[in-house]
Amino acid sequence: MSSLKQRKPTLLFAGGFLLLLLLSAIHVTQGQANLTLSEIVNDVWTEGRVQDIVVTLRLPRVLMGILAGGALAVAGAMLQTLTKNPLASAGILGINAGAYLFVVAAMIFVPNVLGQFPLIVSFMGAAVSALLVLALVGKAMEPVRVALTGMIVTMLFSSITGSLQLIYENETNGLFLWGSGTLVQLDWTGVKFSVGFIFAGWIGALLLGKSMDLYALGDDVATSLGQSVARTKWLGWLVAIFLAAATVSVVGPIGFIGLIAPHLVRMMGVRNHTPLFLHSFLWGAVLLVGADVLARWIEPGREIPVGAMTAIIGGPWLMYLAYRTGKKHSQRRNRLGGHVVATPYWLVASIMVGISVAILVVSLSFGGTNFFSLQDWLDKQIFSPFVWQLRVPRIITAFLVGMLLALCGVLLQGVLRNPLADPTVLGITSGGGAGAMIFLVLFPTASFQFLPFAAIIGASISIAIILLVTWRSNWEPILLALMGVAVSAVGSAIIQIMVVKAQLGVAPALAWLAGSTYAKSWTDVQLVTLFAIIAIPIGYLLSRKMDLLAYGDDVATGLGLDVTQTRLIAILLGVSAGAASVSVVGTIGFIGLLAPHAVRRIVGVEHKAMIPLSLLVGGIMLVAADFVGRLLLAPKEIPAGLVVAVLGTPYILYLLRKT
């Protein structure tokens, strides 16, 4: 028995190696040219079509998958030890997003530097992201705070990257697939470039194995045994960032491999870090090559980003880890906060209405044609087709969608007593987007009037998964947020796959993914008005019941409230409002989080006062974001969703630090 236990790591490594060989053999047979394994074995040795395809295209792709998967897995294992966080990986901590941002920025502004020093550019972006996350989470390195901060930093960097790609469409043409994570190789250049760096980083990790064993025992124990903890930390972070940067610079940001592979290896019984890094490299390669095999099998004639496939595979795994981690670090401080102010409500409401009117007038007055005075309005014909058919419906749509997103945030934060509840954080935005995209791909000739219902179904499935998984914890805020991260990742991956499958243009796809009010018509106004007329009065009628829920389920039940019914109605209403918004303007986030928090600081937590003002603030935010996006780099436009994300992320990070 003891002999078998000693041989177990060797047997597992041998089994993984054989599985990698099998997957690699399957991989080289896949592609647009149908080649059997026997054809490849017989004809690859002679010059001709088979040799060109296999040697030039397929073998580099397989080897790049092995290198990238191994590097990401080792980086993830290192980061999980350094942060003492089972959720840590280069993707979760925003390191991949930072590297990707710097690569895109360098391609636009200093392409010569990127061409000569791609690894340095990628490394700088990864390092900036890692330092930002470390600075925000503090020395305690609480796992939940690390994961959520990394998620928000990732959203910020992704928003900036998306803006750059839309503004500089010609300079970044062809980056959409790479930005989703792809192993496509046209020759051996990528393999030759990365192999030395990746193996150097892997050897560095193996050399740090014993030091990481001591570090895992705790700072005090490691110091008493003569180890320099600070030196170990810096070397570990350097190796992890180096490996992630080397990978992103060639294949783009691929997530979840660094999360799954180390956990698989630990489940196999490997604990010490030297064998952990050795086995993680192998199983990371197995996972990434296997994901690419699956992606090519699902869609043989079209390229599905392997990064999207790893997200779909890794999403349930992240949910499992998030559930375990959230339960351990649950604090049950379900307080939304707010201020009781002496300012009369009528005065606050009047100011908000005045600001709304001013924003609408200013937004309507400036654009391709400007109206500086009343005389301009009369001379330039406000009711001309240009203004009436393009600008007016766009602004009205933006205001109404902002109201619906704010309503969604108010209802979800109130019913779940969760200050982080928001259509984006809880997966409603990505779920609704996935539902809409699936509908467009499966029913391309169907009427667009059915699109909101498809978005509602997708959003409902997302929130249902989250609520069912966290039900036994009474919807603990930390668990909800972590589950939302996982579900959002899966929803975003489905959207990417559907965009590729539908062969949408890169610019329109990026604009929709970022959330854009561009080219909205009176048909869109009618659709969103219908939803607003139905949802807003029902939401307002729930005001008193939402106030009772704030006292807790027991107190609310004692006061005669049917808690389950109220919670169900509020959740369904919020999900419907969020999904309807997604179906009209795409995936705009954070308004549902920002608007209610801003209003609570002005009028307190009473929903009868909060809901109307939150609706106004939500409308103001989205119209203002649309206005800034139209004028900032005119005639080019930045989608309103990207403007909201860039401007709102600092407040969200502040909120996370305070929550």
Side-chain angles (χ1 to χ4, degrees), residues 92 113 170 195 254 259 336 407 436 438-439 452 532 601:
I92 298 295
V113 173
N170 293 331
V195 63
I254 297 175
L259 180 74
L336 295 176
L407 177 65
I438 291 172
F439 174 80
R601 292 184 171 275

Side-chain angles (χ1 to χ4, degrees), residues 315-330:
W317 192 276
L318 177 58
M319 289 180 66
Y320 166 71
L321 294 175
Y323 183 76
R324 282 183 19 180
T325 304
K327 285 184 68 177
K328 290 179 181 178
H329 297 84
S330 173

Side-chain angles (χ1 to χ4, degrees), residues 308-546:
M309 190 58 61
T310 59
I312 292 176
I313 296 171
W317 192 276
L318 177 58
M319 289 180 66
Y320 166 71
L321 294 175
Y323 183 76
R324 282 183 19 180
T325 304
K327 285 184 68 177
K328 290 179 181 178
H329 297 84
S330 173
Q331 297 180 9
R332 295 196 175 278
R333 295 175 183 172
N334 304 34
R335 295 180 298 176
L336 295 176
H339 298 285
V340 178
V341 293
T343 308
Y345 181 77
W346 66 266
L347 179 59
V348 175
S350 300
I351 293 173
M352 289 291 184
V353 171
I355 294 174
S356 300
V357 173
I359 289 290
L360 290 172
V361 170
V362 170
S363 183
L364 192 59
S365 300
F366 294 93
T369 302
N370 298 321
F371 304 94
F372 296 103
S373 65
L374 179 61
Q375 189 62 41
D376 283 344
W377 283 98
L378 297 175
D379 293 343
K380 296 179 181 178
Q381 299 179 354
I382 182 177
F383 294 108
S384 66
F386 171 78
V387 175
W388 193 247
Q389 297 299 328
L390 296 178
R391 194 176 298 178
V392 173
R394 175 175 183 164
I395 293 170
I396 295 175
T397 299
F399 193 82
L400 291 174
V401 167
M403 293 175 70
L404 287 175
L405 290 172
L407 177 65
C408 181
V410 170
L411 292 173
L412 292 177
Q413 288 172 24
V415 77
L416 300 174
R417 298 195 297 277
N418 184 350
L420 294 175
D422 163 80
T424 303
V425 175
L426 294 183
I428 293 173
T429 299
S430 61
M437 288 302 301
I438 291 172
F439 174 80
L440 290 175
V441 171
L442 295 181
F443 307 102
T445 60
S447 172
F448 272 76
Q449 293 178 349
F450 296 103
L451 191 63
F453 298 102
I456 290 173
I457 292 172
S460 299
I461 292 173
S462 296
I463 194 67
I465 292 172
I466 295 172
L467 295 178
L468 286 173
V469 172
T470 57
W471 172 66
R472 296 187 65 180
S473 70
N474 196 28
W475 299 298
E476 164 66 38
I478 288 174
L479 272 177
L480 281 169
L482 290 176
M483 290 299 165
V485 174
V487 172
S488 293
V490 175
S492 298
I494 293 174
I495 291 173
Q496 290 176 344
I497 292 173
M498 291 298 110
V499 166
V500 173
K501 189 174 179 63
Q503 295 182 317
L504 296 178
V506 173
L510 284 173
W512 189 84
L513 291 172
S516 175
T517 54
Y518 177 74
K520 295 306 165 189
S521 65
W522 286 106
T523 301
D524 297 302
V525 172
Q526 293 172 2
L527 183 62
V528 76
T529 300
L530 177 63
F531 275 100
I533 290 173
I534 296 172
I536 291 174
I538 297 175
Y540 187 76
L541 290 174
L542 290 173
S543 298
R544 176 168 170 73
K545 294 182 178 181
M546 300 289 289

Side-chain angles (χ1 to χ4, degrees), residues 260-302:
I260 301 172
H263 282 285
L264 278 178
V265 174
R266 290 191 181 97
M267 289 173 64
M268 295 173 185
V270 179
R271 292 289 182 268
N272 294 334
H273 282 80
T274 299
L276 175 65
F277 295 144
L278 185 67
H279 284 257
S280 292
F281 190 97
L282 172 64
W283 287 99
V286 169
L287 287 172
L288 189 53
V289 173
D292 204 34
V293 167
L294 182 60
R296 305 186 85 186
W297 176 75
I298 291 174
E299 194 70 22
R302 204 167 291 160

Side-chain angles (χ1 to χ4, degrees), residues 195-218:
V195 63
F197 294 123
I198 288 176
F199 272 106
W202 185 31
I203 297 301
L206 293 173
L207 293 175
L208 283 173
K210 291 185 178 179
S211 297
M212 299 305 294
D213 289 337
L214 295 177
Y215 176 79
L217 298 175

Side-chain angles (χ1 to χ4, degrees), residues 13-27 62-63 65-67 70 281-290 293:
F13 192 88
F17 186 74
L18 291 175
L19 180 58
L20 180 60
L21 288 178
L22 175 62
L23 290 171
S24 300
I26 296 173
H27 196 291
V62 172
L63 290 176
I66 293 172
L67 292 172
F281 190 97
L282 172 64
W283 287 99
V286 169
L287 287 172
L288 189 53
V289 173
V293 167

